[in-house]
Amino acid sequence: MYRVRVRSVPPVVLALRRFPNPRLTGIGAGLFAALTMFVLACVDRLLFDSSELVYGLLFLPVSALTAFWVRPADLVTAPISVPIAFAVGVFPISGGSEGFGGQVMGLVTALAVHAGWLYGGTLVAGLIATVRKVRLMRARRRYVLAQGRGPAGDRAPRAAGGRPAPRPHTPTAAGPAPAAAAAAAAKPVRAGAGPAVVRRPQRP
């Protein structure tokens, strides 16, 4: 007797399946990433004294979730919205001086200092979006191939221009072909002609 070996699903995969899986538009994913990074930056400023390491480490999972949760039609927006969210979130921990010019200079300096985390999060979002796009293209190709397969009789031959070609009529034992019946009905009948009468031969 053969035993069927059942593969046990790892607990990490089970935990990921229980995780929420929303589908956000491109604008929704950008707003989610920006608001999340701004809140995390405020928490970083209050608890960790504006630590760039904490902010960078928190930016990576937010970038991954943004690429996972964006809907398939807006996958290209994930690597674009993530750097914008990073710039919005870094504002509370930029440490600029008073005044508009000082705040802008502090923001530019913080972006330059945190460039490594910015590129890393953007790369994570781009890789996830690319893998999702490739999987969607393969699934669509398999679906098209599955729709194209079928019995040969179900697919009618196509003529020029994509129109279905007329099928030749095959006469059956039940009666003549429709064309022959139409031609016989269209024959003119001579006056005085009637149906042929078959006479039986008389016995002597």
Side-chain angles (χ1 to χ4, degrees):
M1 295 181 65
Y2 296 95
R3 295 182 179 179
V4 179
R5 181 177 296 178
V6 181
R7 291 185 177 180
S8 60
V9 182
V12 178
V13 178
L14 293 176
L16 290 176
R17 288 179 180 177
R18 298 192 193 100
F19 204 73
N21 190 21
R23 283 291 173 259
L24 303 175
T25 61
I27 299 177
L31 290 176
F32 160 76
L35 292 177
T36 304
M37 291 310 302
F38 185 82
V39 172
L40 292 177
C42 293
V43 174
D44 182 21
R45 182 175 181 178
L46 293 175
L47 300 181
F48 302 101
D49 195 18
S50 302
S51 172
E52 63 180 43
L53 178 62
V54 174
Y55 183 79
L57 290 176
L58 292 175
F59 176 65
L60 297 181
V62 172
S63 302
L65 289 178
T66 304
F68 271 123
W69 287 352
V70 69
R71 65 181 184 178
D74 298 329
L75 281 173
V76 70
T77 62
I80 300 174
S81 58
V82 164
I84 299 174
F86 185 89
V88 172
V90 83
F91 183 76
I93 61 173
S94 59
S97 59
E98 295 182 358
F100 180 76
Q103 294 292 335
V104 172
M105 289 302 298
L107 180 62
V108 172
T109 305
L111 289 176
V113 171
H114 298 76
W117 295 109
L118 174 61
Y119 295 148
T122 307
L123 181 62
V124 169
L127 288 177
I128 294 175
T130 303
V131 171
R132 287 187 59 192
K133 187 65 177 180
V134 171
R135 292 184 62 183
L136 287 172
M137 291 174 63
R138 288 181 178 178
R140 188 176 302 173
R141 186 178 302 174
R142 287 196 298 266
Y143 176 76
V144 171
L145 292 177
Q147 291 294 323
R149 292 173 185 170
D154 293 344
R155 291 178 293 179
R158 296 284 176 177
R163 299 178 180 178
R167 295 183 178 181
H169 179 78
T170 305
T172 57
K187 275 187 177 181
V189 181
R190 289 179 298 175
V197 180
V198 180
R199 297 182 179 180
R200 295 181 180 179
Q202 299 180 358
R203 295 181 180 179

